[in-house]
Amino acid sequence: MNTADLGLPVDVPSTALFTDQYELTMLRAALKAGTAGRRSVFEVFTRRLPDGRRYGVVAGTGRVLDAVENFRFDPGVLGFLREKDIVDEETLDWLAGYRFSGDIWGYPEGEVYFPGSPIMRVEGSFAECVLLETVILSILNHDSAIAAAASRMSSAAGDRPLIEMGARRTHELAAVAAARAAYVGGFASTSDLAAGFRYGIPTVGTSAHAFTLLHDSERDAFRAQVDSLGGGTTLLVDTYDVAEAVRTAVEIAGPELGAVRIDSGDLLLVAHRVRQQLDELGATDTKIIVTSDLDEYAIASLAAAPVDAYGVGTQLVTGSGHPTASMVYKLVARAESADPKAPLVPVAKKSTGGKTSVGGRKWAARRLDEHGVAEAEVVGTGAVPGDLADRQLLVKLVEGGEVIAREPLDVVRDRHAAARAGLPLSATQLSRGEPVLPTEYAHGPSGS
């Protein structure tokens, strides 16, 4: 069963309180001022990529769509807001009937992005759009950071599969989201059963050192595991002596042993020794899986090792040093009045210290060179140039409050692989560098 299409809610009454208090106090003030109904355009973007990264990965879009659908102020939530005197009765009455009725556009999930890319555009009344700021950013910032790390790791791994196994290193709900984002970024499976249940991601797992230590001998532990799971299982061979464990594993499971896992030591050296030993024992098809605090650099360093798969935990779920994508949600245009036909006026914060933004509703397109390789991210307002019309990146995700673009996770995963393959080769270098594509701005009449 693939549950990616079901829009399963987070296991709380609603997503409405996944927000900051000032979203509600702004709403309260705007209702009182009569400006809450003004047509508005908010955009999600990042001013810069994490230091040294060459591209970003859009992830979490499907979860955003679920969160928007489940953003409801039920009686319990309204009671909390009333009890804490966060908003007045007029605002509570408005919130009781809240349903997002606007439009959302965005980069398709799995697509790559660059500084200034309008990753998501939310349009509707100021009141209904401003409430979604925090929950949209919390999802996109987390998931995109994990997906970017996963993408770098999967690129370093090449054709060797990656297993996500970081659930014990993060919050229990974040673990499910991280597994989903990792799958988008190129991981093949997860150890987290909740992620498998919710999103249909393949799950894997056999045993830990505790299982070996439980038994009177390593031989007894291996025998119990093989008797239960069959000879195709993966045996953990570094609890005591690796060479002795490999010998015992093949003796018990036979040359058809599925795999051995190494979780400590000099992985490069140990992997070579284990491969030689397995081959000498006739277990030429037995695979070697390595784990132990891997990141993209460690994975790249094992490229010449006889390794068949990698298990990654801590470094993945923490974004490999960059746990957020630093995205922001800014008002870029608003109507001159509450009249639905009032024209939009570009707006932007004027600030020093690198926190400036560009006003106006944006479009985005990726320009290709003569070889079909991406050469620039073009962001603009007004009319789209004819030569970029068929290269536009934003697609409609929500129309009139209805989700219209939910898609299976495998489609998203394949999209990312294709998007990354369309970038210049330097995109996948692990050395520090600038974004692999420049962001160019094209300004025209803003339009309404």
Side-chain angles (χ1 to χ4, degrees):
M1 178 180 66
N2 189 337
T3 58
D5 297 332
L6 299 183
L8 294 177
V10 177
D11 189 20
V12 293
S14 78
T15 56
L17 292 185
F18 287 174
T19 193
D20 293 306
Q21 180 167 315
Y22 79 168
E23 313 292 9
L24 298 184
T25 53
M26 281 192 288
L27 169 65
R28 175 179 179 172
L31 288 171
K32 187 175 183 62
T35 54
R38 287 187 177 184
R39 188 160 56 104
S40 300
V41 180
F42 287 82
E43 287 177 353
V44 176
F45 62 93
T46 184
R47 296 183 175 96
R48 64 191 65 84
L49 297 180
D51 186 36
R53 296 287 173 89
R54 296 171 184 255
Y55 63 93
V57 181
V58 178
T61 307
R63 296 207 309 119
V64 166
L65 300 180
D66 294 345
V68 171
E69 282 190 333
N70 292 300
F71 204 91
R72 303 285 187 269
F73 291 84
D74 58 33
V77 170
L78 293 171
F80 164 78
L81 297 175
R82 178 179 289 109
E83 177 187 352
K84 299 302 180 180
D85 196 28
I86 292 170
V87 293
D88 58 11
E89 287 299 322
E90 178 187 0
T91 307
L92 288 169
D93 289 343
W94 190 92
L95 292 173
Y98 179 86
R99 300 290 185 274
F100 180 72
S101 63
D103 298 335
I104 298 178
W105 294 72
Y107 278 37
E109 189 167 15
E111 184 57 84
V112 296
Y113 69 87
F114 300 91
S117 297
I119 297 161
M120 185 169 287
R121 189 173 76 217
V122 182
E123 303 186 24
S125 71
F126 175 84
E128 62 182 343
C129 295
V130 75
L131 292 182
L132 298 177
E133 175 182 6
T134 303
V135 70
I136 287 177
L137 286 180
S138 65
I139 292 171
L140 293 181
N141 269 316
H142 174 269
D143 289 23
S144 295
I146 305 305
S151 179
R152 286 162 60 86
M153 292 175 188
S154 66
S155 176
D159 294 333
R160 297 171 178 175
L162 290 157
I163 306 164
E164 185 282 314
M165 46 197 309
R168 63 191 61 192
R169 303 301 189 207
T170 189
H171 185 279
E172 66 271 19
L173 293 181
V176 183
R180 182 186 183 281
Y183 192 69
V184 170
F187 274 57
S189 57
T190 179
S191 65
D192 192 285
L193 290 177
F197 171 75
R198 187 171 297 233
Y199 298 116
I201 301 171
T203 60
V204 296
T206 51
S207 67
H209 294 102
F211 184 77
T212 301
L213 296 170
L214 168 69
H215 292 81
D216 294 336
S217 69
E218 194 168 51
R219 177 178 294 275
D220 290 344
F222 287 176
R223 171 61 65 191
Q225 185 173 327
V226 170
D227 286 348
S228 174
L229 302 178
T233 190
T234 298
L235 295 175
L236 181 59
V237 295
D238 72 330
T239 305
Y240 304 118
D241 179 84
V242 173
E244 181 61 29
V246 171
R247 187 177 304 110
T248 302
V250 176
E251 180 180 332
I252 291 173
E256 294 78 27
L257 172 63
V260 295
R261 178 163 75 95
I262 306 166
D263 188 53
S264 59
D266 183 335
L267 297 179
L268 179 62
L269 175 63
V270 175
H272 277 287
R273 289 177 173 173
V274 169
R275 180 74 271 159
Q276 180 179 353
Q277 185 180 10
L278 287 170
D279 291 346
E280 289 173 349
L281 293 170
T284 56
D285 293 329
T286 299
K287 299 185 182 303
I288 297 175
I289 300 171
V290 296
T291 54
S292 184
D293 291 329
L294 298 178
D295 61 10
E296 60 265 50
Y297 302 101
I299 291 168
S301 73
L302 292 168
V307 171
D308 298 286
Y310 306 93
V312 188
T314 303
Q315 292 301 317
L316 174 70
V317 299
T318 57
S320 194
H322 297 289
T324 177
S326 298
M327 295 175 186
V328 294
Y329 183 99
K330 295 297 180 182
L331 180 66
V332 297
R334 53 86 174 169
E336 295 178 329
S337 70
D339 184 344
K341 297 181 180 179
L344 288 175
V345 178
V347 295
K349 174 184 177 181
K350 293 183 179 180
S351 176
T352 58
K355 297 186 74 172
T356 57
S357 55
V358 179
R361 178 204 274 138
K362 320 269 188 330
W363 51 262
R366 191 159 298 148
R367 192 172 65 239
L368 308 182
D369 64 17
E370 64 272 19
H371 303 293
V373 178
E375 65 176 9
E377 192 90 338
V378 185
V379 177
T381 58
V384 181
D387 62 328
L388 294 175
D390 63 348
R391 300 296 308 167
Q392 293 190 72
L393 292 163
L394 281 87
V395 299
K396 184 168 277 191
L397 304 170
V398 175
E399 184 172 30
E402 297 296 324
V403 173
I404 61 172
R406 191 172 276 116
E407 54 190 355
L409 205 53
D410 283 334
V411 172
V412 175
R413 188 171 185 267
D414 291 344
R415 178 183 293 121
H416 174 63
R420 188 178 65 190
L423 296 175
L425 288 176
S426 58
T428 56
Q429 292 179 349
L430 294 182
S431 58
R432 291 183 175 273
E434 296 300 313
V436 71
L437 296 187
T439 302
E440 300 176 359
Y441 290 93
H443 300 291
S446 180
S448 61

